[in-house]
Amino acid sequence: MKFAPILKASALVFSAIILTGCNAPHSEEAQTGDDRPNAVPLPVHTVTLTASNEPVKLQGIATVLNPDALLQLDADIRSATVAASFSHGQLERFKASTMLSRQTLENAARQEGMDASQLKLLLTRLQQSWGDKAPFVTAEARQTLMADIADGKRAVLRLDFPDMAADEPENVRVVPLRGGPETKVDVLWAAPSGNLAMPGVSFFGLINAGPGLRAGDRARVIADSPERLSGAVIPNAALVVYGGKSWCYVETGPKKYERKLVSLEAPVDDGFFVKSGFDPGTRVVVKGASVLLAREATPGGLDDDDDAEPQAPAPAAAPAGTAKSAAPAVAQSHTSPTGDPD
């Protein structure tokens, strides 16, 4: 038949196609991750925790003080200084004279003592009210500072830190409650008394006056703790929220992860400082933590070809005859990584 040669040629072409397909390399999807030299990585990335040497952030409240009492005290000290100086000079002149009576000399000595005592009382009040390390304790510094304070160029602050036990904070800045840029506290010294309304440690400070930092205004204080506690910093990208608490996943073995609770009591620039529970060298998940949490919280959520095996804390044993039930939970990432992980 005339169709026989056509059918025979078609059969030869079909056989050639089949043989060519059998000799072709396997596709990337058909190979397992272990057989491929350039396997696609899992959607989980970790970083290694290092020992923290960053200061813990402190927060407090600042109050811009009314300078009237300080200015009045400075004026009284100036007047008392002039009076004491005059009385002392007059007494010395009377002593050098041989024409004055004994009573006149005794009156001059008594007046010199009274003026000196009044000046000493005012200087003591200045130290007790503002501290013996106040920058305006000395007469020379007080003359310049009082002029700037009276002109509104400088402002005096009271800084209260409720979570600080001792020492002096570092890198202290204030931010007006109504909003605005940070202002650095360039002079800081310990207050001689605390704040009854806010237990903790109090300081006085000087800043350049500006909007929102006038007498009577309040501001938020941001500072660094002088303490350097041993511990580690959990990156923001490692945090996930579950059950109203913050967690992160720790790598416990090859492709095995365990969820651990993270304390948010000590925020730092790049995350949260923890004193215990996370040793330096521990690897934490910074990408894919929310995926691990979702698979952990949803029974059967792990695919057959999934290599990641998150390990959750073991649940309490259920009473005999009671069926275990697990309600699906929504995993939400606390934050996302801002850069390529290590």
Side-chain angles (χ1 to χ4, degrees):
M1 296 177 65
K2 60 180 180 179
F3 294 104
I6 298 177
L7 293 176
K8 185 177 181 180
S10 300
L12 291 175
V13 173
F14 182 76
S15 300
I17 293 175
I18 294 177
L19 291 176
T20 303
C22 293
N23 294 329
H26 293 295
S27 65
E28 185 174 282
E29 291 78 5
Q31 297 186 14
T32 61
D34 297 334
D35 297 333
R36 285 176 291 164
N38 298 322
V40 178
L42 292 172
V44 174
H45 297 281
T46 61
V47 296
T48 303
L49 298 181
T50 58
S52 172
N53 56 3
E54 298 183 15
V56 177
K57 298 298 180 183
L58 299 173
Q59 293 190 7
I61 294 295
T63 303
V64 184
L65 302 178
N66 191 323
D68 291 348
L70 178 59
L71 295 175
Q72 182 61 53
L73 182 57
D74 174 65
D76 294 341
I77 292 176
R78 291 172 183 267
S79 299
T81 301
V82 173
S85 178
F86 177 81
S87 298
H88 179 72
Q90 187 179 52
L91 177 61
E92 294 299 323
R93 290 191 299 270
F94 285 0
K95 286 181 179 180
S97 176
T98 57
M99 302 179 61
L100 298 176
S101 64
R102 182 186 182 92
Q103 183 178 4
T104 302
L105 186 62
E106 290 178 350
N107 289 338
R110 182 173 61 254
Q111 186 64 40
E112 190 269 347
M114 293 174 58
D115 292 341
S117 297
Q118 179 65 19
L119 177 59
K120 184 178 180 180
L121 176 63
L122 293 173
L123 291 175
T124 301
R125 183 186 302 173
L126 177 66
Q127 293 183 353
Q128 290 179 346
S129 301
W130 297 96
D132 54 0
K133 294 185 179 181
F136 40 74
V137 168
T138 61
E140 295 79 7
R142 186 167 60 249
Q143 183 176 2
T144 302
L145 283 175
M146 292 304 151
D148 291 341
I149 293 174
D151 293 340
K153 298 178 181 178
R154 301 279 279 170
V156 184
L157 300 171
R158 182 181 181 90
L159 312 172
D160 298 309
F161 293 94
D163 299 328
M164 191 172 181
D167 297 330
E168 186 174 297
E170 302 172 352
N171 192 24
V172 183
R173 296 95 65 200
V174 294
V175 182
L177 291 183
R178 67 182 65 177
E182 295 182 355
T183 302
K184 184 176 178 59
V185 179
D186 46 19
V187 181
L188 185 73
W189 69 97
S193 60
N195 188 345
L196 297 179
M198 184 181 296
V201 179
S202 299
F203 298 87
F204 286 125
L206 284 174
I207 61 170
N208 293 326
L213 296 174
R214 302 291 183 179
D217 290 335
R218 295 172 69 84
R220 183 167 59 95
V221 184
I222 306 172
D224 297 334
S225 171
E227 300 179 0
R228 297 295 189 272
L229 302 177
S230 59
V233 174
I234 308 300
N236 289 322
L239 299 179
V240 291
V241 178
Y242 178 68
K245 299 180 180 179
S246 296
W247 309 78
C248 77
Y249 278 93
V250 175
E251 187 178 48
T252 59
K255 302 176 183 177
K256 295 183 181 295
Y257 308 93
E258 178 183 356
R259 178 161 50 89
K260 297 186 67 174
L261 188 65
V262 179
S263 172
L264 306 183
E265 296 179 355
V268 294
D269 288 337
D270 301 325
F272 292 87
F273 173 83
V274 290
K275 294 185 291 186
S276 60
F278 297 87
D279 298 329
T282 302
R283 297 194 65 85
V284 297
V285 176
V286 294
K287 183 178 181 181
S290 59
V291 176
L292 294 177
L293 181 60
R295 292 173 178 174
E296 173 190 338
T298 305
L302 291 175
D303 298 330
D304 295 336
D305 58 351
D306 197 327
D307 294 322
E309 300 179 6
Q311 298 176 351
T322 303
K324 297 180 180 179
S325 62
V330 177
Q332 45 185 319
S333 175
H334 188 83
T335 182
S336 59
T338 57
D340 294 336
D342 295 339

